Amino acid sequence: MPTNPRLLGRRDYTKLGLAVAAGAALATMPGIRPARAASDMDALIAAAKKEGKLNVITLPRDWANYGALMDGFTAKYGIAIDDANPDGSSAQELQAVRSLKGQDRAPDALDIGPSFASIGVKQNLFTPYKVATWATIPDGMKEADGLWVADYFGVVSIATNTTVVKNAPRTWADLKKPEYKGMVALNGSPLGAGAAFAAVFAASLGNGGSYDDIEPGVAYFGELAKVGNMNPAAATGPALLVSGQAPIVINWDYLSLGYRDMAKGKADITVVVPEGSTPYGSFYCQAIPADAAHPNAAKLWQEYLYSDEGQLLFLAGYAHPARYADLASRNLISADLASKLPPAAPYANVKFATQEQVAKAQKSLAELWPKMVKI
């Protein structure tokens, strides 16, 4: 029996959440994973080093611990990383794949929301690749042929700068109070940014909607804009939150918690998963463009992200790695790291929307957001 109740809870949550997402049990028995032959890895490393460069895109260093991941990859393999447009959106990533096709600066690796991953598959923008740890990634978090694969996931949260706002909101209803006029911001436009799209889906779940109906979430933000509480700034990093220019930001929990840590000594940040509502969770996906400028470096980057080392670095940045259950089953999560993670209780009812539900919601959002929110 584990002695750390927080660790036990997260294990239970993961088993629950991933089982729902996958629709089937996850095989995590140590020793059954198909290890990639050393010679294959040696050849991949040599080919990647010969390319000598990796082009990534829209990876803020403070997002899911990507700063440490990029530094770790470069230190391990000596391959320089060019991170273009760090504060961009998933939609801009796909556009870069299309517009930079055939150029040396074309993206080699993407980190995009699942709705945009589906678009990329339909438009034949990706090439398949399966990492060595493929079998330990839940079925619901990967495209069967390897065209995309989830690397981490989180839930929507409310982050409040309590140095500026003394009474932090804790529910969706709270955010409509007059005391929060002009204070509530999103991580970009929900029409292009996965985090903002998730905020609308989460608001729908908290206001009578469902995974099949995002309209109540759009209506909610329409009301928030009408009463003047929406701040039109795109809070794509910690600056606006920490400075107090946008003192309340709806964002992924791992970003909010990371910003809380970064703000120490400058501002006090409170992070809550909206209370009284089913949490909305989702993942981000890695995909390799079909016309990647450095395809072997891209494959090696994926091998690093899905290795034990890479997955634990995601967790250190408060993002739940796709292989969390496998890491936990082999006791690779240290007690020190586990003690820094948030309580598991708000996550108990998390499940992921299906690709069909996400696509339906994306279509509805595109039609309704300009009419109902007008921001």
Side-chain angles (χ1 to χ4, degrees):
M1 184 74 179
T3 57
N4 186 330
R6 179 170 292 172
L7 179 58
L8 175 63
R10 297 190 76 83
R11 285 178 174 175
D12 288 347
Y13 153 63
T14 301
K15 289 175 182 176
L16 172 64
L18 299 190
V20 171
L26 170 66
T28 57
M29 291 294 291
I32 66 170
R33 292 187 306 284
R36 181 144 297 168
S39 58
D40 292 344
M41 275 302 297
D42 290 344
L44 178 60
I45 291 170
K49 286 185 173 180
K50 187 176 181 180
E51 292 173 349
K53 185 180 177 184
L54 175 72
N55 294 338
V56 298
I57 184 170
T58 73
L59 291 188
R61 291 183 62 82
D62 53 23
W63 183 296
N65 217 15
Y66 263 117
L69 283 156
M70 288 189 280
D71 291 346
F73 178 78
T74 296
K76 190 164 190 170
Y77 298 110
I79 296 173
I81 295 179
D82 182 5
D83 182 14
N85 191 16
D87 292 325
S89 66
S90 295
Q92 290 172 326
E93 291 187 63
L94 293 184
Q95 182 55 39
V97 172
R98 301 184 194 100
S99 61
L100 298 177
K101 180 179 179 180
Q103 300 183 33
D104 186 62
R105 60 195 180 105
D108 297 316
L110 307 180
D111 183 86
I112 54 178
S115 59
F116 295 93
S118 295
I119 293 172
V121 170
K122 291 178 181 176
Q123 297 182 358
N124 297 315
L125 297 180
F126 306 149
T127 189
Y129 183 70
K130 295 183 179 180
V131 294
T133 52
W134 181 261
T136 64
I137 300 169
D139 289 342
M141 300 181 76
K142 57 191 178 186
E143 197 277 333
D145 294 326
L147 290 171
W148 59 260
V149 52
D151 40 4
Y152 58 91
F153 64 98
V155 300
V156 170
S157 68
I158 302 172
T160 303
N161 181 335
T162 54
T163 304
V164 176
V165 181
K166 300 303 180 185
N167 184 29
R170 305 189 70 84
T171 68
W172 293 109
D174 284 348
L175 289 172
K176 291 194 279 188
K177 293 179 178 177
E179 64 191 275
Y180 303 129
K181 188 170 291 293
M183 294 184 177
V184 184
L186 294 173
N187 187 338
S189 167
L191 301 177
F197 172 79
V200 182
F201 229 145
S204 181
L205 296 183
N207 290 276
S210 69
Y211 289 93
D212 293 307
D213 183 13
I214 197 173
E215 182 169 346
V218 184
Y220 171 84
F221 279 102
E223 292 179 43
L224 213 58
K226 188 176 181 180
V227 301
N229 287 10
M230 281 289 289
N231 185 323
T236 55
L240 297 182
L241 174 66
V242 176
S243 69
Q245 296 178 71
I248 302 172
V249 178
I250 305 171
N251 211 340
W252 292 119
D253 57 343
Y254 49 85
L255 296 182
S256 299
L257 291 165
Y259 298 164
R260 178 200 61 186
D261 291 354
M262 293 168 57
K264 287 180 180 176
K266 301 176 183 176
D268 294 326
I269 307 295
T270 294
V271 180
V272 299
V273 176
E275 297 174 354
S277 173
T278 300
Y280 178 81
S282 187
F283 47 77
Y284 277 79
C285 311
Q286 280 289 318
I288 299 176
D291 296 293
H294 310 93
N296 291 298
K299 293 175 183 175
L300 188 60
W301 171 241
Q302 283 205 353
E303 293 290 354
Y304 180 71
L305 294 181
Y306 294 91
S307 68
D308 291 347
E309 179 182 353
Q311 293 280 285
L312 286 169
L313 282 172
F314 277 125
L315 191 58
Y318 299 116
H320 262 75
R323 295 181 51 239
Y324 183 93
D326 180 42
L327 299 174
S329 73
R330 293 186 290 128
N331 296 316
L332 295 183
I333 302 170
S334 69
D336 179 60
L337 176 54
S339 70
K340 296 176 182 175
L341 302 177
Y347 301 83
N349 296 318
V350 170
K351 70 174 186 178
F352 300 142
T354 65
Q355 294 298 299
E356 291 75 18
Q357 289 170 326
V358 169
K360 179 182 177 183
Q362 193 175 42
K363 183 179 180 181
S364 296
L365 185 70
E367 295 173 354
L368 298 175
W369 185 266
K371 301 176 184 174
M372 301 176 72
V373 184
K374 302 176 182 176
I375 288 182

mmCIF file with all atom_site columns, all heavy atoms in Angstrom, residues 37 43 60 88 119 158 165 230 235 245 248 280 285 313 372:
data_model
loop_
_atom_site.group_PDB
_atom_site.id
_atom_site.type_symbol
_atom_site.label_atom_id
_atom_site.label_alt_id
_atom_site.label_comp_id
_atom_site.label_asym_id
_atom_site.label_entity_id
_atom_site.label_seq_id
_atom_site.pdbx_PDB_ins_code
_atom_site.Cartn_x
_atom_site.Cartn_y
_atom_site.Cartn_z
_atom_site.occupancy
_atom_site.B_iso_or_equiv
_atom_site.pdbx_formal_charge
_atom_site.auth_seq_id
_atom_site.auth_comp_id
_atom_site.auth_asym_id
_atom_site.auth_atom_id
_atom_site.pdbx_PDB_model_num
ATOM 1   N N   . ALA A 1 37  ? 16.063  -1.513 -31.387 1.00 0.00 ? 37  ALA A N   1
ATOM 2   C CA  . ALA A 1 37  ? 17.409  -2.074 -31.392 1.00 0.00 ? 37  ALA A CA  1
ATOM 3   C C   . ALA A 1 37  ? 18.442  -0.965 -31.279 1.00 0.00 ? 37  ALA A C   1
ATOM 4   O O   . ALA A 1 37  ? 18.292  0.111  -31.850 1.00 0.00 ? 37  ALA A O   1
ATOM 5   C CB  . ALA A 1 37  ? 17.617  -2.866 -32.671 1.00 0.00 ? 37  ALA A CB  1
ATOM 6   N N   . ALA A 1 43  ? 22.000  4.429  -35.523 1.00 0.00 ? 43  ALA A N   1
ATOM 7   C CA  . ALA A 1 43  ? 21.895  4.949  -36.893 1.00 0.00 ? 43  ALA A CA  1
ATOM 8   C C   . ALA A 1 43  ? 21.068  6.227  -36.927 1.00 0.00 ? 43  ALA A C   1
ATOM 9   O O   . ALA A 1 43  ? 21.405  7.179  -37.647 1.00 0.00 ? 43  ALA A O   1
ATOM 10  C CB  . ALA A 1 43  ? 21.277  3.886  -37.800 1.00 0.00 ? 43  ALA A CB  1
ATOM 11  N N   . PRO A 1 60  ? 6.977   27.877 -26.402 1.00 0.00 ? 60  PRO A N   1
ATOM 12  C CA  . PRO A 1 60  ? 7.476   28.772 -25.357 1.00 0.00 ? 60  PRO A CA  1
ATOM 13  C C   . PRO A 1 60  ? 8.294   27.978 -24.334 1.00 0.00 ? 60  PRO A C   1
ATOM 14  O O   . PRO A 1 60  ? 7.920   26.854 -23.979 1.00 0.00 ? 60  PRO A O   1
ATOM 15  C CB  . PRO A 1 60  ? 6.200   29.329 -24.717 1.00 0.00 ? 60  PRO A CB  1
ATOM 16  C CG  . PRO A 1 60  ? 5.108   29.063 -25.712 1.00 0.00 ? 60  PRO A CG  1
ATOM 17  C CD  . PRO A 1 60  ? 5.519   27.826 -26.444 1.00 0.00 ? 60  PRO A CD  1
ATOM 18  N N   . GLY A 1 88  ? 3.178   31.459 -30.924 1.00 0.00 ? 88  GLY A N   1
ATOM 19  C CA  . GLY A 1 88  ? 2.183   31.212 -31.964 1.00 0.00 ? 88  GLY A CA  1
ATOM 20  C C   . GLY A 1 88  ? 1.141   30.190 -31.540 1.00 0.00 ? 88  GLY A C   1
ATOM 21  O O   . GLY A 1 88  ? 1.155   29.665 -30.424 1.00 0.00 ? 88  GLY A O   1
ATOM 22  N N   . ILE A 1 119 ? -6.879  17.943 -38.578 1.00 0.00 ? 119 ILE A N   1
ATOM 23  C CA  . ILE A 1 119 ? -6.831  18.719 -39.821 1.00 0.00 ? 119 ILE A CA  1
ATOM 24  C C   . ILE A 1 119 ? -5.570  18.356 -40.613 1.00 0.00 ? 119 ILE A C   1
ATOM 25  O O   . ILE A 1 119 ? -5.610  18.163 -41.829 1.00 0.00 ? 119 ILE A O   1
ATOM 26  C CB  . ILE A 1 119 ? -6.858  20.228 -39.508 1.00 0.00 ? 119 ILE A CB  1
ATOM 27  C CG1 . ILE A 1 119 ? -8.208  20.628 -38.916 1.00 0.00 ? 119 ILE A CG1 1
ATOM 28  C CG2 . ILE A 1 119 ? -6.572  21.050 -40.781 1.00 0.00 ? 119 ILE A CG2 1
ATOM 29  C CD1 . ILE A 1 119 ? -8.260  22.056 -38.408 1.00 0.00 ? 119 ILE A CD1 1
ATOM 30  N N   . ILE A 1 158 ? -8.252  28.246 -13.611 1.00 0.00 ? 158 ILE A N   1
ATOM 31  C CA  . ILE A 1 158 ? -8.328  29.710 -13.490 1.00 0.00 ? 158 ILE A CA  1
ATOM 32  C C   . ILE A 1 158 ? -7.138  30.157 -12.652 1.00 0.00 ? 158 ILE A C   1
ATOM 33  O O   . ILE A 1 158 ? -6.977  29.722 -11.500 1.00 0.00 ? 158 ILE A O   1
ATOM 34  C CB  . ILE A 1 158 ? -9.628  30.159 -12.802 1.00 0.00 ? 158 ILE A CB  1
ATOM 35  C CG1 . ILE A 1 158 ? -10.857 29.652 -13.555 1.00 0.00 ? 158 ILE A CG1 1
ATOM 36  C CG2 . ILE A 1 158 ? -9.662  31.688 -12.677 1.00 0.00 ? 158 ILE A CG2 1
ATOM 37  C CD1 . ILE A 1 158 ? -12.169 29.904 -12.811 1.00 0.00 ? 158 ILE A CD1 1
ATOM 38  N N   . VAL A 1 165 ? -5.897  41.084 -7.317  1.00 0.00 ? 165 VAL A N   1
ATOM 39  C CA  . VAL A 1 165 ? -7.294  40.708 -7.075  1.00 0.00 ? 165 VAL A CA  1
ATOM 40  C C   . VAL A 1 165 ? -7.352  39.935 -5.759  1.00 0.00 ? 165 VAL A C   1
ATOM 41  O O   . VAL A 1 165 ? -6.953  38.781 -5.700  1.00 0.00 ? 165 VAL A O   1
ATOM 42  C CB  . VAL A 1 165 ? -7.831  39.835 -8.226  1.00 0.00 ? 165 VAL A CB  1
ATOM 43  C CG1 . VAL A 1 165 ? -9.290  39.475 -7.988  1.00 0.00 ? 165 VAL A CG1 1
ATOM 44  C CG2 . VAL A 1 165 ? -7.666  40.549 -9.553  1.00 0.00 ? 165 VAL A CG2 1
ATOM 45  N N   . MET A 1 230 ? -14.503 40.527 -19.985 1.00 0.00 ? 230 MET A N   1
ATOM 46  C CA  . MET A 1 230 ? -13.478 39.956 -20.868 1.00 0.00 ? 230 MET A CA  1
ATOM 47  C C   . MET A 1 230 ? -12.375 40.973 -21.149 1.00 0.00 ? 230 MET A C   1
ATOM 48  O O   . MET A 1 230 ? -12.633 42.118 -21.491 1.00 0.00 ? 230 MET A O   1
ATOM 49  C CB  . MET A 1 230 ? -14.108 39.511 -22.187 1.00 0.00 ? 230 MET A CB  1
ATOM 50  C CG  . MET A 1 230 ? -14.836 38.175 -22.132 1.00 0.00 ? 230 MET A CG  1
ATOM 51  S SD  . MET A 1 230 ? -13.715 36.763 -21.959 1.00 0.00 ? 230 MET A SD  1
ATOM 52  C CE  . MET A 1 230 ? -12.956 36.724 -23.573 1.00 0.00 ? 230 MET A CE  1
ATOM 53  N N   . ALA A 1 235 ? -3.267  36.301 -23.466 1.00 0.00 ? 235 ALA A N   1
ATOM 54  C CA  . ALA A 1 235 ? -2.314  35.996 -22.391 1.00 0.00 ? 235 ALA A CA  1
ATOM 55  C C   . ALA A 1 235 ? -1.537  34.738 -22.749 1.00 0.00 ? 235 ALA A C   1
ATOM 56  O O   . ALA A 1 235 ? -1.726  33.669 -22.159 1.00 0.00 ? 235 ALA A O   1
ATOM 57  C CB  . ALA A 1 235 ? -3.053  35.835 -21.066 1.00 0.00 ? 235 ALA A CB  1
ATOM 58  N N   . GLN A 1 245 ? -1.787  43.134 -15.701 1.00 0.00 ? 245 GLN A N   1
ATOM 59  C CA  . GLN A 1 245 ? -2.516  43.707 -16.837 1.00 0.00 ? 245 GLN A CA  1
ATOM 60  C C   . GLN A 1 245 ? -3.712  42.828 -17.222 1.00 0.00 ? 245 GLN A C   1
ATOM 61  O O   . GLN A 1 245 ? -4.709  43.326 -17.725 1.00 0.00 ? 245 GLN A O   1
ATOM 62  C CB  . GLN A 1 245 ? -1.571  43.862 -18.030 1.00 0.00 ? 245 GLN A CB  1
ATOM 63  C CG  . GLN A 1 245 ? -0.434  44.847 -17.778 1.00 0.00 ? 245 GLN A CG  1
ATOM 64  C CD  . GLN A 1 245 ? 0.501   44.934 -18.982 1.00 0.00 ? 245 GLN A CD  1
ATOM 65  O OE1 . GLN A 1 245 ? 0.142   45.477 -20.019 1.00 0.00 ? 245 GLN A OE1 1
ATOM 66  N NE2 . GLN A 1 245 ? 1.703   44.401 -18.838 1.00 0.00 ? 245 GLN A NE2 1
ATOM 67  N N   . ILE A 1 248 ? -6.587  37.823 -14.285 1.00 0.00 ? 248 ILE A N   1
ATOM 68  C CA  . ILE A 1 248 ? -7.266  36.520 -14.235 1.00 0.00 ? 248 ILE A CA  1
ATOM 69  C C   . ILE A 1 248 ? -7.155  35.888 -15.623 1.00 0.00 ? 248 ILE A C   1
ATOM 70  O O   . ILE A 1 248 ? -7.591  36.480 -16.611 1.00 0.00 ? 248 ILE A O   1
ATOM 71  C CB  . ILE A 1 248 ? -8.752  36.672 -13.848 1.00 0.00 ? 248 ILE A CB  1
ATOM 72  C CG1 . ILE A 1 248 ? -8.882  37.363 -12.486 1.00 0.00 ? 248 ILE A CG1 1
ATOM 73  C CG2 . ILE A 1 248 ? -9.429  35.304 -13.818 1.00 0.00 ? 248 ILE A CG2 1
ATOM 74  C CD1 . ILE A 1 248 ? -10.316 37.719 -12.120 1.00 0.00 ? 248 ILE A CD1 1
ATOM 75  N N   . TYR A 1 280 ? -12.437 19.967 -17.739 1.00 0.00 ? 280 TYR A N   1
ATOM 76  C CA  . TYR A 1 280 ? -12.187 19.611 -19.134 1.00 0.00 ? 280 TYR A CA  1
ATOM 77  C C   . TYR A 1 280 ? -10.696 19.356 -19.312 1.00 0.00 ? 280 TYR A C   1
ATOM 78  O O   . TYR A 1 280 ? -9.859  20.213 -19.010 1.00 0.00 ? 280 TYR A O   1
ATOM 79  C CB  . TYR A 1 280 ? -12.629 20.728 -20.076 1.00 0.00 ? 280 TYR A CB  1
ATOM 80  C CG  . TYR A 1 280 ? -12.334 20.401 -21.531 1.00 0.00 ? 280 TYR A CG  1
ATOM 81  C CD1 . TYR A 1 280 ? -13.187 19.575 -22.255 1.00 0.00 ? 280 TYR A CD1 1
ATOM 82  C CD2 . TYR A 1 280 ? -11.187 20.886 -22.156 1.00 0.00 ? 280 TYR A CD2 1
ATOM 83  C CE1 . TYR A 1 280 ? -12.920 19.251 -23.577 1.00 0.00 ? 280 TYR A CE1 1
ATOM 84  C CE2 . TYR A 1 280 ? -10.906 20.568 -23.481 1.00 0.00 ? 280 TYR A CE2 1
ATOM 85  C CZ  . TYR A 1 280 ? -11.776 19.748 -24.190 1.00 0.00 ? 280 TYR A CZ  1
ATOM 86  O OH  . TYR A 1 280 ? -11.500 19.414 -25.491 1.00 0.00 ? 280 TYR A OH  1
ATOM 87  N N   . CYS A 1 285 ? -0.382  17.122 -29.204 1.00 0.00 ? 285 CYS A N   1
ATOM 88  C CA  . CYS A 1 285 ? 0.122   16.036 -30.038 1.00 0.00 ? 285 CYS A CA  1
ATOM 89  C C   . CYS A 1 285 ? 1.418   16.429 -30.729 1.00 0.00 ? 285 CYS A C   1
ATOM 90  O O   . CYS A 1 285 ? 1.551   17.547 -31.232 1.00 0.00 ? 285 CYS A O   1
ATOM 91  C CB  . CYS A 1 285 ? -0.894  15.690 -31.118 1.00 0.00 ? 285 CYS A CB  1
ATOM 92  S SG  . CYS A 1 285 ? -2.579  15.457 -30.529 1.00 0.00 ? 285 CYS A SG  1
ATOM 93  N N   . LEU A 1 313 ? 10.483  15.057 -17.470 1.00 0.00 ? 313 LEU A N   1
ATOM 94  C CA  . LEU A 1 313 ? 10.656  16.508 -17.572 1.00 0.00 ? 313 LEU A CA  1
ATOM 95  C C   . LEU A 1 313 ? 9.312   17.195 -17.807 1.00 0.00 ? 313 LEU A C   1
ATOM 96  O O   . LEU A 1 313 ? 9.061   18.286 -17.289 1.00 0.00 ? 313 LEU A O   1
ATOM 97  C CB  . LEU A 1 313 ? 11.647  16.850 -18.682 1.00 0.00 ? 313 LEU A CB  1
ATOM 98  C CG  . LEU A 1 313 ? 13.122  16.667 -18.316 1.00 0.00 ? 313 LEU A CG  1
ATOM 99  C CD1 . LEU A 1 313 ? 14.019  16.851 -19.544 1.00 0.00 ? 313 LEU A CD1 1
ATOM 100 C CD2 . LEU A 1 313 ? 13.539  17.662 -17.221 1.00 0.00 ? 313 LEU A CD2 1
ATOM 101 N N   . MET A 1 372 ? -21.522 35.700 -31.257 1.00 0.00 ? 372 MET A N   1
ATOM 102 C CA  . MET A 1 372 ? -21.966 35.763 -29.871 1.00 0.00 ? 372 MET A CA  1
ATOM 103 C C   . MET A 1 372 ? -20.976 36.453 -28.936 1.00 0.00 ? 372 MET A C   1
ATOM 104 O O   . MET A 1 372 ? -21.360 36.970 -27.892 1.00 0.00 ? 372 MET A O   1
ATOM 105 C CB  . MET A 1 372 ? -22.257 34.340 -29.354 1.00 0.00 ? 372 MET A CB  1
ATOM 106 C CG  . MET A 1 372 ? -23.319 33.609 -30.170 1.00 0.00 ? 372 MET A CG  1
ATOM 107 S SD  . MET A 1 372 ? -23.590 31.882 -29.655 1.00 0.00 ? 372 MET A SD  1
ATOM 108 C CE  . MET A 1 372 ? -24.428 32.106 -28.094 1.00 0.00 ? 372 MET A CE  1
#
